[in-house]
Amino acid sequence: MLPNGYPFELNHIYDCWKRVVRDAEPPCPSMSIDPAVLHSWQRCLLGQGRTSAGTRNVSSRDTSALAKKNREFLINDGLSHLEDCHQYLEGTKSVLALADGDAGFIHVIGDHDMIFHVARLGVRAGTCWDEHQAGTNAVALCLEHAAPTQVIGAEHFYSTMHSLATTAAPVHDINGRIIAVIALITPVQDITRHALSMIMTVAKALENSMQAQHCLDESTSRLIEMNAILGSIADGIIVWNHEGIVTHINAKASNLLGLSIPVVQGTWVGAVMHLPEVVRQAWEHSQVLTDVETTFAVGSRHVPALVSLQPFQVDAGQGGAFLLVLRAIADVRRLVNFQTGTQARISFNDLPVKSAAMKRVVRQARSAADSMAPVLLRGDDGVGRIQLAQAIHNEGPRAGKPFVAINCNAIPLELMAAELIGSGSGKDSPGQPSKFELADGGTLLLDRVEALSREMQSALVHLIENGTVLRLRSHEPIAVDVRIIALTSADLEKMVAEGTFSRRLYYTFFVFSIVVAALRERPEDIRFAAQRCLERLGQQRGLELGLNDACLKILETYHWPGNLRELEIALEQAAGQCQGGIITPDDLPDAVRSRRLFDIPAPAHQVLSAREAQREAIKRAAWLTGGKVGAMADMLGLSRTTLWRRLKDMDISVKHYRQR
């Protein structure tokens, strides 16, 4: 099988074959025959009774995906390796063959006459030359021992093959399995000592080609996977190497920066966009950046983004690479608004609209919803101004966009500027976005707008008129598109006269200044508001809630100094202690059930004048007595004539109270 030298003693080999194979005698000690050949002869003697080689058609038994892929490679590329080798054998009586791991021939090329000769021995595409079919031969022994093999003359089991010399070398796949055999068949007298090394070289070349193709396929597969991953990420991704050459950019980054992927890849990153100073410094010093707000200059465009930069090592022989993550500021703000729960959920259908006063308010609010002008909602605390603001937002073109609500009275004066207009990023500060930026594209609700400092009032006017905001410690104005809705219960006219509220800001709200009446002035809305409140409470508790008639009458005749907010609190308390889901008068808070009003002392700077206090006392007496002038006079300690005169002078009508 692996002869030690040339030339061969063909007669001695034949004598050994004749003794063992033809005469079926045991081998003698003087026989110098390859043990592998001898064992093959013995197997063949036990396994068949033919004296000539046979053939059978074969197909690959391994149906795995890798086996199919390897066979496709052998069929498509194996022939080219045989042809390269055949160029050096052209003019000789030789045949080159490629067989698979089952000894089934795939390609056979070579001398025409020799091909015709070996075809009669079973060497042709689609047939098998394993030991069972062709006896001892180089292809079968190569597969048996997984080693390069050469079988000379009478070493072949069948006498019809004694005129041949067969040489074979295995081809291994990436897992080390033999998947093919390269074979050379020549007349025995033409065999040379170089035949085996030549076939081994061809086999190794085919192995290398297959492994290179496998590596290329793996690289392509990894590249496809990486591109799919980068494309599925919601953030923009840009990767460049140690030289600054962009190696990867996903579609999100391309769209955000307005860059073409084919143009950017392979280009120096500084040639396609101007990196902000903070990113450039981190790149030069291989530092990590995490969620830094900055602006990229791409041509004439300025793109604000939240960026992170992560250096990483590719391999030991090269410098590091860098991964830049870009998040669109609009996406970040949308996420912030979603996480903080500042979404508008109320529509006009959710508002208690039965009274003429409230219907008028809703008509004005619907008109405001279709406009872009600022809106001022006025009225007492608890009348539902915030709910009306949400309905305006949801009715207009900004529905679904950010809805940011701020209580101006809750922000300390020393922090108001930083909270409202933000601060620019510095060397030691990442910067803070303004509330106007967080509401960009949507609505900013300013509750108790009268609490704004004069500086913030001026900034608000500037924003409304110019659509830009300038952060503290920043020199670059930021364009924002935001709708302003302001709430107040203060006497703005008086504040303007005193100089504590900006006249320009006051007139800015002149287009839509809507006054929401107190709940006591629109009793028709009480029933509807109570029903909506009970529906919500019932859903939370998993039961159906209702009011009996006596309870509803109490609600409709109560003064409700806390307006809708007080009504909701009273019903929530009653729902927690009612039996069977029906609220009765006994379930209501004592103050509501007894119609008792509480005098809340006003702050020192809000002392009522004598006329205002007198007017308030007459109105409360009217509520408690149902508009009965006689009872009102007794309660107030006035004569009926004096009371009638003051009712007329103060333009107070008792008719409304009598209808209650």
Side-chain angles (χ1 to χ4, degrees), residues 7-20 28-34 41 152-155 162:
F8 301 102
E9 297 181 10
L10 297 178
N11 291 332
H12 175 73
I13 296 174
Y14 177 75
D15 291 340
C16 295
W17 176 86
K18 184 169 61 173
R19 176 182 175 86
V20 176
C28 62
S30 62
M31 292 174 53
S32 57
I33 196 75
D34 193 301
W41 286 349
I152 308 297
E155 286 185 333
H162 285 184

Side-chain angles (χ1 to χ4, degrees), residues 114 118 143 277 289 329 359 439 448 466 474 533 587 611 637:
M114 195 66 175
V118 298
L143 291 171
E277 181 66 19
L289 284 183
I329 290 296
K359 289 179 180 179
R448 299 193 181 273
N466 300 286
S474 175
C533 181
D587 301 318
R611 180 178 175 82

